[in-house]
Amino acid sequence: VLHTARPLHTSQQCLAPLPPLPEKGGEVRHGLIPEEFFQFLYPKTGVTGPYMLGTGLLLYFLSKEIYVVNHETVAAACILSVIIYGIKKYGADVAAFADKLNEEKVAKALAVKNDAIKELETAIEQEKKEQWRVEGRGYLFDAKRNNIAMLLEANYRERLLTVYNEVKKRLDYQVAMQNLKRQKEQDHMIQWVEKNVVQSITPQQQKESIAKCILDLKALSKSAQMTV
Amino acid sequence: MNLSFFDQFSSPYLLGIPLILLSLLFPALLLPSPNNRWVNNRLSTLQSWLLHLITKQLMIPLNKTGHKWALMLTSLMMMLLTINLLGLLPYTFTPTTQLSMNMALAFPLWLATLLTGLRNQPSTSLGHLLPEGTPTPLIPALIIIETTSLLIRPLALGVRLTANLTAGHLLIQLISTATTALLPMMPTVSILTALVLLMLTILEVAVAMIQAYVFVLLLSLYLQENI
């Protein structure tokens, strides 16, 4: 973390594809001292070597009063105990929180990718469906053709009907004309006959018919009186 | 050599070279620098989460012009936070216990907010001197009071931070001296005093964080009034 360590990085430059972050941080013992120190001292002094070194150093500093025990020591003990308590209690939670933040970041990007993939898959499905629909276009066109044929047929029949009606109307007219003509001739003839008959009745004949009628009437009245 | 109680507040020198600048810049070395990875290690992730939280909190009440102050306020917050927290370790020098340093931070920033307000919207910032709805006879007195309160703000900002931290450090020193002095004579009382010291340390951790937050929050409030 100290920037002075940067010149010691002898591997690739920063713009190249970054090497992946290591899974875990460096191993430390007691939260402070790197494991490499213990491994460094192991060949010469074994397992207890570093601890002996530490104890010896501590006792040396205390006995020679290079480190003086005064009120600051008590204050140091307090603050260190607070710090260590805090780390022990909340350390795992904080680490989990940091991991969760990273997880969410990666998950968001993955979600974008997955959504895009899903959309493309749905698009492919729909495309396949359209292709299947294309196969049925023969039926579609047949049905359409049938429809049109029916429409044409119906239209033709309608027009046929109109033609028939028109022709019938004209023929009816002719028949009506003939009937009218005959009727008129009949009426005219009847009238002419009646007129002539009335004209042919001479006054002599009229008198004779009237006298005959009177005689008939008298005879009838006599018979009527007789029956009464 | 014997330490008096105020030696912890004297600005450090090494062979005549003042180390105050070093003690101000050192906490920055402890924070991870932003690198060009998309997914970082835990420390960098936590730092960026904290910075995002602080900036969001500070910038929500401000309008667009106020967002220009984001870098200033967030970096001030991080500096005060790290300086205060590092000062709780033994044998460390806390620069924020120096009144000169806190006044040097508070005075120019407060003056900047005041001059921004007076320059861009003079009537509105002068209008803040009279709260709404005051009864008419009180108006002259209230204007004098509000002006005094306005002019005392930088002093209050600086002295608040200095006094809180100095008092805390001094108390820690005193109680730990009492604990050390009582240890050979009355060990039980010494243990009780040590417990008091433990409580005080926890309080001081909280105070360190709260004072940094309060400093920056008040500055952002003065900015809100004036921007």
Side-chain angles (χ1 to χ4, degrees):
Chain A
V1 171
L2 292 177
H3 302 317
T4 49
R6 204 169 281 252
L8 298 175
H9 295 173
T10 48
S11 55
Q12 61 207 63
Q13 310 271 341
C14 59
L15 288 181
L18 291 170
L21 285 173
E23 280 288 322
K24 312 161 123 290
E27 289 270 319
V28 272
R29 221 189 271 204
H30 307 298
L32 275 180
I33 308 156
E35 190 64 40
E36 285 83 7
F37 181 65
F38 292 82
Q39 296 305 317
F40 174 67
L41 288 181
Y42 181 74
K44 298 285 184 196
T45 51
V47 178
T48 52
Y51 295 105
M52 292 306 297
L53 180 65
T55 320
L57 266 178
L58 185 65
L59 288 174
Y60 168 65
F61 285 142
L62 283 174
S63 65
K64 288 254 183 176
E65 295 253 321
I66 297 174
Y67 176 72
V68 180
V69 172
N70 50 11
H71 59 278
E72 296 261 13
T73 315
V74 178
C78 281
I79 187 73
L80 281 176
S81 56
V82 167
I83 290 175
I84 291 176
Y85 172 74
I87 290 180
K88 281 235 181 299
K89 184 149 185 233
Y90 299 112
D93 288 339
V94 169
F97 177 69
D99 286 340
K100 188 170 72 95
L101 285 175
N102 278 345
E103 266 302 310
E104 281 171 5
K105 201 172 173 188
V106 170
K108 257 196 260 185
L110 270 181
V112 168
K113 181 182 98 164
N114 286 341
D115 281 343
I117 289 179
K118 259 201 219 75
E119 297 232 341
L120 288 173
E121 277 180 1
T122 358
I124 291 177
E125 300 277 313
Q126 284 182 336
E127 180 62 32
K128 285 216 173 76
K129 200 161 179 212
E130 291 300 317
Q131 283 176 350
W132 168 79
R133 278 199 189 136
V134 161
E135 289 169 18
R137 72 177 182 267
Y139 297 120
L140 186 69
F141 293 159
D142 276 343
K144 284 195 171 170
R145 229 177 271 129
N146 280 343
N147 256 359
I148 291 174
M150 270 200 287
L151 277 174
L152 285 173
E153 186 73 27
N155 202 6
Y156 172 70
R157 297 233 174 127
E158 263 177 33
R159 283 185 292 156
L160 214 55
L161 187 66
T162 27
V163 164
Y164 169 78
N165 282 339
E166 287 292 310
V167 167
K168 187 156 173 302
K169 270 199 283 186
R170 279 163 183 64
L171 290 177
D172 281 344
Y173 172 70
Q174 295 299 326
V175 163
M177 281 288 288
Q178 279 183 353
N179 282 347
L180 184 70
K181 199 164 170 206
R182 196 169 308 135
Q183 184 89 7
K184 282 282 183 241
E185 282 174 356
Q186 258 185 343
D187 285 341
H188 186 253
M189 202 172 297
I190 289 172
Q191 262 185 323
W192 185 79
V193 165
E194 279 183 1
K195 200 169 77 173
N196 278 343
V197 162
V198 165
Q199 271 180 346
S200 71
I201 301 179
T202 57
Q204 175 69 23
Q205 277 178 328
Q206 212 168 338
K207 266 192 217 165
E208 280 181 11
S209 67
I210 287 175
K212 193 151 182 285
C213 285
I214 291 174
L215 278 177
D216 282 334
L217 274 173
K218 276 185 185 169
L220 276 169
S221 73
K222 270 190 195 158
S223 62
Q225 268 183 339
M226 293 282 279
T227 55
V228 170
Chain B
M1 83 182 210
N2 283 330
L3 294 167
S4 83
F5 286 125
F6 292 96
D7 279 346
Q8 60 175 320
F9 300 127
S10 60
S11 186
Y13 282 78
L14 179 65
L15 301 176
I17 307 170
L19 296 176
I20 181 82
L21 190 63
L22 202 64
S23 61
L24 275 174
L25 295 177
F26 171 70
L29 290 176
L30 297 175
L31 299 172
S33 57
N35 52 3
N36 49 1
R37 285 180 178 276
W38 181 53
V39 176
N40 280 325
N41 54 359
R42 284 172 181 167
L43 197 58
S44 298
T45 317
L46 285 171
Q47 182 189 252
S48 29
W49 168 81
L50 184 67
L51 282 174
H52 186 239
L53 187 72
I54 292 172
T55 319
K56 201 170 61 163
Q57 277 294 315
L58 286 174
M59 291 296 127
I60 281 178
L62 294 172
N63 57 4
K64 206 92 182 291
T65 353
H67 289 177
K68 289 188 216 164
W69 283 66
L71 178 63
M72 181 77 221
L73 292 175
T74 313
S75 53
L76 184 66
M77 174 85 170
M78 286 308 285
M79 182 183 98
L80 288 176
L81 204 59
T82 40
I83 286 181
N84 289 352
L85 284 173
L86 279 177
L88 289 170
L89 297 172
Y91 295 112
T92 43
F93 169 69
T94 325
T96 36
T97 51
Q98 309 292 311
L99 184 64
S100 54
M101 148 102 180
N102 291 344
M103 289 304 288
L105 280 177
F107 201 92
L109 290 172
W110 163 81
L111 197 61
T113 61
L114 183 69
L115 290 178
T116 316
L118 281 176
R119 183 175 182 266
N120 294 339
Q121 38 179 47
S123 30
T124 320
S125 39
L126 283 177
H128 282 302
L129 288 177
L130 187 66
E132 275 184 34
T134 54
T136 326
L138 280 178
I139 290 185
L142 208 55
I143 293 194
I144 295 180
I145 291 173
E146 287 286 331
T147 315
T148 324
S149 124
L150 177 74
L151 292 175
I152 218 166
R153 275 177 186 175
L155 203 64
L157 271 178
V159 171
R160 180 187 300 111
L161 191 55
T162 316
N164 267 297
L165 265 81
T166 317
H169 284 231
L170 211 53
L171 263 178
I172 289 181
Q173 296 285 327
L174 283 169
I175 298 188
S176 47
T177 315
T179 318
T180 325
L182 284 173
L183 197 56
M185 289 187 277
M186 290 181 275
T188 12
V189 183
S190 175
I191 302 282
L192 287 173
T193 329
L195 279 176
V196 172
L197 184 59
L198 201 59
M199 298 296 125
L200 184 66
T201 315
I202 298 172
L203 177 70
E204 279 309 306
V205 170
V207 163
M209 295 194 281
I210 289 171
Q211 284 306 317
Y213 177 61
V214 159
F215 193 93
V216 177
L217 187 70
L218 281 173
L219 269 177
S220 78
L221 278 172
Y222 302 154
L223 188 63
Q224 248 178 287
E225 283 183 355
N226 283 316
I227 196 114

